[in-house]
Amino acid sequence: MKDMDRELSVALVITTIFVVILFAPSIYGFLSSVLTLTGTGDVKTIGVAAYWDSNCTKEVTTIDWGFIEPGSSKNVTIYLKNEGNTPITLSLNTTDWSPSNASDYLSLSWDYSGDEIKGGEVIRVSMILTVSPNISGITSFSFNIIITATG
């Protein structure tokens, strides 16, 4: 009876290994599609101010991106105000990614058209964080978002 139990145990182990190897790509694909990550972006402005509201009463210092799935994008709306008197144009940059390889899988863009912003003018901007479907090894991230005005 012990020999039969041992043979069944060995057969069960071999079958399990075979099934895992056979279905590993599908299992990996399923798991990677349901994994999420979370992160923040500290907002730094130069020559322009960032706000959560169009009345410019709640300043933006950090964007909490919440939970994001691989292969998806998340939009956050902010308002940018030219607090000076002369027209400006804006540029966007990111720095200090943590972990340092996060920028290989995450990218930030916006829908700002590049038009001049008059003195005192407020514009609505969508910040778009995109996550590569191939991201791996990262469950949380942070980075700096730098918005610079030139005029």
Side-chain angles (χ1 to χ4, degrees):
M1 194 69 154
K2 286 186 178 183
D3 287 337
M4 185 187 281
D5 287 344
R6 183 180 303 164
E7 288 175 16
L8 284 174
S9 294
V10 169
L12 182 59
V13 168
I14 291 171
T15 302
T16 302
I17 291 170
F18 175 75
V19 168
V20 167
I21 291 170
L22 181 66
F23 291 104
S26 298
I27 293 168
Y28 174 76
F30 172 76
L31 291 176
S32 66
S33 70
V34 297
L35 294 176
T36 58
L37 58 154
T38 184
T40 59
D42 288 338
V43 177
K44 301 177 186 311
T45 58
I46 302 167
V48 65
Y51 297 94
W52 288 116
D53 60 315
S54 61
N55 293 327
C56 301
T57 61
K58 297 176 185 147
E59 190 175 357
V60 176
T61 57
T62 301
I63 296 176
D64 182 351
W65 295 102
F67 292 100
I68 310 171
E69 295 180 5
S72 67
S73 296
K74 189 159 198 182
N75 294 4
V76 171
T77 299
I78 63 172
Y79 296 85
L80 300 173
K81 181 178 183 180
N82 178 352
E83 295 190 325
N85 296 323
T86 58
I88 59 172
T89 56
L90 303 175
S91 62
L92 176 67
N93 193 20
T94 59
T95 63
D96 300 326
W97 287 87
S98 178
S100 59
N101 69 330
S103 63
D104 295 339
Y105 303 101
L106 299 159
S107 63
L108 183 69
S109 61
W110 61 1
D111 65 354
Y112 169 61
S113 65
D115 291 341
E116 275 192 341
I117 304 165
K118 296 180 177 98
E121 184 179 359
V122 177
I123 63 166
R124 180 183 179 274
V125 175
S126 288
M127 308 292 282
I128 305 126
L129 184 70
T130 303
V131 183
S132 166
N134 301 324
I135 192 168
S136 64
I138 298 173
T139 56
S140 64
F141 62 90
S142 64
F143 63 102
N144 291 332
I145 300 167
I146 302 168
I147 302 169
T148 305
T150 54

